[in-house]
Amino acid sequence: MITNLRRGLAATALAFAVLAPATPAHADEYTLTEAITSLPIAEEIRDGYKRELYPHWKDDDKNGCSARSDVLIAEAIEAPTVGVNCTLTGGVWHSYYDDVLVQGPAGVDIDHMVPLAEVHDSGGYGWTTERRRRYANDLGSDVTLVGVTARSNRQKSDQDPSTWMPAPAVHCRYIGEWVATKHRWGLAVDQAEREALLRYAADCPNANLAFERAS
């Protein structure tokens, strides 16, 4: 279940049973299984991928902090001190991928829930630079960007759920956030990914998703 602080009114919500939060305006709602099966299936296309095609850690909301710093501030369980030029010191974060508490911002990686290379493979190869930038700095959803340990982020790399998953206790949350992000950005899944998502979803019988599609 999502425990991060909300980062905008258009936040994506993952809920279980009667614990569902208020649905965002104009959100689409599905059971987890429905959400998986309604994703388009397509072969991945990696041709031409370069990380720099997806400009990231920008200050698109013009608040003086990069998207990375905005996520760190929003997700801290003990707030950091925000200094000149949005320099962060102190603070504590919880990495839900591996259930680890991290002291100080230097130990936290901001992970793209769907990695940039996977986004490219799944449809981003046809996007404009502006749309790629919007994805890479998406603060309109709770779950596109997530603070985790550097170790778990490196382990995940650009893998999808057919080859990497976080700790078993958070499988339902993770696949819900993955699927919601793919829907939000109009991305496809490949066959192995779809099969893995459905396999994990079988252990999440009461999971429901609500998400708002990105423009």
Side-chain angles (χ1 to χ4, degrees), residues 188-204:
V189 293
D190 63 32
Q191 189 62 44
E193 179 185 354
R194 183 179 190 271
E195 290 172 0
L197 290 168
L198 288 171
R199 185 169 65 251
Y200 288 114
D203 294 327
C204 315

PDB file of all heavy atoms in Angstrom, residues 188-204:
ATOM      1  N   ALA A 188       3.246  -0.013 -23.373  1.00  0.00           N
ATOM      2  CA  ALA A 188       2.885  -1.405 -23.613  1.00  0.00           C
ATOM      3  C   ALA A 188       3.667  -2.330 -22.682  1.00  0.00           C
ATOM      4  O   ALA A 188       4.595  -1.912 -21.972  1.00  0.00           O
ATOM      5  CB  ALA A 188       3.176  -1.776 -25.073  1.00  0.00           C
ATOM      6  N   VAL A 189       3.288  -3.600 -22.681  1.00  0.00           N
ATOM      7  CA  VAL A 189       4.045  -4.666 -22.014  1.00  0.00           C
ATOM      8  C   VAL A 189       4.398  -5.723 -23.056  1.00  0.00           C
ATOM      9  O   VAL A 189       3.700  -5.876 -24.056  1.00  0.00           O
ATOM     10  CB  VAL A 189       3.252  -5.310 -20.863  1.00  0.00           C
ATOM     11  CG1 VAL A 189       3.050  -4.332 -19.726  1.00  0.00           C
ATOM     12  CG2 VAL A 189       1.907  -5.856 -21.349  1.00  0.00           C
ATOM     13  N   ASP A 190       5.500  -6.437 -22.813  1.00  0.00           N
ATOM     14  CA  ASP A 190       5.777  -7.586 -23.668  1.00  0.00           C
ATOM     15  C   ASP A 190       5.148  -8.825 -23.037  1.00  0.00           C
ATOM     16  O   ASP A 190       4.635  -8.789 -21.915  1.00  0.00           O
ATOM     17  CB  ASP A 190       7.265  -7.759 -23.943  1.00  0.00           C
ATOM     18  CG  ASP A 190       8.092  -8.042 -22.699  1.00  0.00           C
ATOM     19  OD1 ASP A 190       7.586  -8.679 -21.756  1.00  0.00           O
ATOM     20  OD2 ASP A 190       9.271  -7.644 -22.669  1.00  0.00           O
ATOM     21  N   GLN A 191       5.177  -9.937 -23.741  1.00  0.00           N
ATOM     22  CA  GLN A 191       4.456 -11.119 -23.285  1.00  0.00           C
ATOM     23  C   GLN A 191       5.004 -11.663 -21.969  1.00  0.00           C
ATOM     24  O   GLN A 191       4.242 -12.018 -21.065  1.00  0.00           O
ATOM     25  CB  GLN A 191       4.505 -12.220 -24.357  1.00  0.00           C
ATOM     26  CG  GLN A 191       3.605 -13.404 -24.056  1.00  0.00           C
ATOM     27  CD  GLN A 191       2.129 -13.030 -23.979  1.00  0.00           C
ATOM     28  OE1 GLN A 191       1.641 -12.268 -24.823  1.00  0.00           O
ATOM     29  NE2 GLN A 191       1.416 -13.555 -22.998  1.00  0.00           N
ATOM     30  N   ALA A 192       6.320 -11.726 -21.831  1.00  0.00           N
ATOM     31  CA  ALA A 192       6.910 -12.245 -20.591  1.00  0.00           C
ATOM     32  C   ALA A 192       6.560 -11.355 -19.406  1.00  0.00           C
ATOM     33  O   ALA A 192       6.266 -11.836 -18.299  1.00  0.00           O
ATOM     34  CB  ALA A 192       8.423 -12.362 -20.740  1.00  0.00           C
ATOM     35  N   GLU A 193       6.575 -10.053 -19.626  1.00  0.00           N
ATOM     36  CA  GLU A 193       6.215  -9.087 -18.581  1.00  0.00           C
ATOM     37  C   GLU A 193       4.761  -9.273 -18.167  1.00  0.00           C
ATOM     38  O   GLU A 193       4.440  -9.298 -16.962  1.00  0.00           O
ATOM     39  CB  GLU A 193       6.469  -7.687 -19.126  1.00  0.00           C
ATOM     40  CG  GLU A 193       6.138  -6.544 -18.201  1.00  0.00           C
ATOM     41  CD  GLU A 193       6.304  -5.200 -18.892  1.00  0.00           C
ATOM     42  OE1 GLU A 193       6.785  -5.158 -20.050  1.00  0.00           O
ATOM     43  OE2 GLU A 193       5.934  -4.184 -18.283  1.00  0.00           O
ATOM     44  N   ARG A 194       3.880  -9.387 -19.133  1.00  0.00           N
ATOM     45  CA  ARG A 194       2.448  -9.568 -18.841  1.00  0.00           C
ATOM     46  C   ARG A 194       2.223 -10.837 -18.022  1.00  0.00           C
ATOM     47  O   ARG A 194       1.470 -10.831 -17.037  1.00  0.00           O
ATOM     48  CB  ARG A 194       1.658  -9.633 -20.136  1.00  0.00           C
ATOM     49  CG  ARG A 194       0.145  -9.748 -19.974  1.00  0.00           C
ATOM     50  CD  ARG A 194      -0.507  -9.787 -21.348  1.00  0.00           C
ATOM     51  NE  ARG A 194      -1.951  -9.669 -21.296  1.00  0.00           N
ATOM     52  CZ  ARG A 194      -2.787 -10.714 -21.179  1.00  0.00           C
ATOM     53  NH1 ARG A 194      -2.299 -11.940 -21.104  1.00  0.00           N
ATOM     54  NH2 ARG A 194      -4.095 -10.510 -21.163  1.00  0.00           N
ATOM     55  N   GLU A 195       2.859 -11.923 -18.420  1.00  0.00           N
ATOM     56  CA  GLU A 195       2.685 -13.188 -17.707  1.00  0.00           C
ATOM     57  C   GLU A 195       3.184 -13.078 -16.274  1.00  0.00           C
ATOM     58  O   GLU A 195       2.554 -13.599 -15.339  1.00  0.00           O
ATOM     59  CB  GLU A 195       3.410 -14.307 -18.450  1.00  0.00           C
ATOM     60  CG  GLU A 195       2.741 -14.669 -19.781  1.00  0.00           C
ATOM     61  CD  GLU A 195       3.564 -15.647 -20.606  1.00  0.00           C
ATOM     62  OE1 GLU A 195       4.664 -16.043 -20.141  1.00  0.00           O
ATOM     63  OE2 GLU A 195       3.110 -16.008 -21.717  1.00  0.00           O
ATOM     64  N   ALA A 196       4.314 -12.399 -16.074  1.00  0.00           N
ATOM     65  CA  ALA A 196       4.837 -12.221 -14.720  1.00  0.00           C
ATOM     66  C   ALA A 196       3.895 -11.372 -13.878  1.00  0.00           C
ATOM     67  O   ALA A 196       3.620 -11.688 -12.708  1.00  0.00           O
ATOM     68  CB  ALA A 196       6.221 -11.574 -14.785  1.00  0.00           C
ATOM     69  N   LEU A 197       3.377 -10.289 -14.447  1.00  0.00           N
ATOM     70  CA  LEU A 197       2.454  -9.433 -13.709  1.00  0.00           C
ATOM     71  C   LEU A 197       1.209 -10.197 -13.284  1.00  0.00           C
ATOM     72  O   LEU A 197       0.743 -10.072 -12.142  1.00  0.00           O
ATOM     73  CB  LEU A 197       2.067  -8.221 -14.569  1.00  0.00           C
ATOM     74  CG  LEU A 197       3.172  -7.195 -14.811  1.00  0.00           C
ATOM     75  CD1 LEU A 197       2.756  -6.216 -15.903  1.00  0.00           C
ATOM     76  CD2 LEU A 197       3.505  -6.436 -13.524  1.00  0.00           C
ATOM     77  N   LEU A 198       0.662 -10.998 -14.177  1.00  0.00           N
ATOM     78  CA  LEU A 198      -0.527 -11.785 -13.837  1.00  0.00           C
ATOM     79  C   LEU A 198      -0.213 -12.829 -12.777  1.00  0.00           C
ATOM     80  O   LEU A 198      -1.038 -13.094 -11.888  1.00  0.00           O
ATOM     81  CB  LEU A 198      -1.090 -12.445 -15.093  1.00  0.00           C
ATOM     82  CG  LEU A 198      -1.772 -11.490 -16.080  1.00  0.00           C
ATOM     83  CD1 LEU A 198      -2.094 -12.211 -17.382  1.00  0.00           C
ATOM     84  CD2 LEU A 198      -3.038 -10.884 -15.476  1.00  0.00           C
ATOM     85  N   ARG A 199       0.953 -13.409 -12.841  1.00  0.00           N
ATOM     86  CA  ARG A 199       1.344 -14.405 -11.839  1.00  0.00           C
ATOM     87  C   ARG A 199       1.428 -13.772 -10.453  1.00  0.00           C
ATOM     88  O   ARG A 199       0.911 -14.322  -9.471  1.00  0.00           O
ATOM     89  CB  ARG A 199       2.694 -15.015 -12.235  1.00  0.00           C
ATOM     90  CG  ARG A 199       3.147 -16.150 -11.317  1.00  0.00           C
ATOM     91  CD  ARG A 199       4.341 -16.876 -11.899  1.00  0.00           C
ATOM     92  NE  ARG A 199       5.541 -16.022 -11.975  1.00  0.00           N
ATOM     93  CZ  ARG A 199       6.052 -15.550 -13.093  1.00  0.00           C
ATOM     94  NH1 ARG A 199       5.475 -15.808 -14.265  1.00  0.00           N
ATOM     95  NH2 ARG A 199       7.141 -14.812 -13.068  1.00  0.00           N
ATOM     96  N   TYR A 200       2.053 -12.620 -10.354  1.00  0.00           N
ATOM     97  CA  TYR A 200       2.141 -11.942  -9.056  1.00  0.00           C
ATOM     98  C   TYR A 200       0.778 -11.417  -8.614  1.00  0.00           C
ATOM     99  O   TYR A 200       0.457 -11.425  -7.417  1.00  0.00           O
ATOM    100  CB  TYR A 200       3.154 -10.794  -9.127  1.00  0.00           C
ATOM    101  CG  TYR A 200       4.584 -11.255  -9.205  1.00  0.00           C
ATOM    102  CD1 TYR A 200       5.347 -11.017 -10.345  1.00  0.00           C
ATOM    103  CD2 TYR A 200       5.182 -11.937  -8.151  1.00  0.00           C
ATOM    104  CE1 TYR A 200       6.674 -11.432 -10.429  1.00  0.00           C
ATOM    105  CE2 TYR A 200       6.504 -12.356  -8.219  1.00  0.00           C
ATOM    106  CZ  TYR A 200       7.247 -12.113  -9.359  1.00  0.00           C
ATOM    107  OH  TYR A 200       8.546 -12.537  -9.442  1.00  0.00           O
ATOM    108  N   ALA A 201      -0.030 -10.955  -9.552  1.00  0.00           N
ATOM    109  CA  ALA A 201      -1.344 -10.409  -9.209  1.00  0.00           C
ATOM    110  C   ALA A 201      -2.260 -11.455  -8.592  1.00  0.00           C
ATOM    111  O   ALA A 201      -3.187 -11.114  -7.846  1.00  0.00           O
ATOM    112  CB  ALA A 201      -2.005  -9.806 -10.445  1.00  0.00           C
ATOM    113  N   ALA A 202      -2.012 -12.734  -8.869  1.00  0.00           N
ATOM    114  CA  ALA A 202      -2.835 -13.799  -8.294  1.00  0.00           C
ATOM    115  C   ALA A 202      -2.758 -13.813  -6.771  1.00  0.00           C
ATOM    116  O   ALA A 202      -3.674 -14.303  -6.103  1.00  0.00           O
ATOM    117  CB  ALA A 202      -2.391 -15.151  -8.847  1.00  0.00           C
ATOM    118  N   ASP A 203      -1.696 -13.228  -6.221  1.00  0.00           N
ATOM    119  CA  ASP A 203      -1.551 -13.142  -4.765  1.00  0.00           C
ATOM    120  C   ASP A 203      -2.085 -11.834  -4.200  1.00  0.00           C
ATOM    121  O   ASP A 203      -1.900 -11.554  -3.021  1.00  0.00           O
ATOM    122  CB  ASP A 203      -0.069 -13.290  -4.387  1.00  0.00           C
ATOM    123  CG  ASP A 203       0.475 -14.667  -4.702  1.00  0.00           C
ATOM    124  OD1 ASP A 203      -0.286 -15.649  -4.601  1.00  0.00           O
ATOM    125  OD2 ASP A 203       1.670 -14.763  -5.050  1.00  0.00           O
ATOM    126  N   CYS A 204      -2.746 -11.034  -5.040  1.00  0.00           N
ATOM    127  CA  CYS A 204      -3.274  -9.728  -4.621  1.00  0.00           C
ATOM    128  C   CYS A 204      -4.764  -9.648  -4.985  1.00  0.00           C
ATOM    129  O   CYS A 204      -5.171  -8.760  -5.763  1.00  0.00           O
ATOM    130  CB  CYS A 204      -2.506  -8.611  -5.320  1.00  0.00           C
ATOM    131  SG  CYS A 204      -0.714  -8.789  -5.334  1.00  0.00           S
TER     132      CYS A 204
END
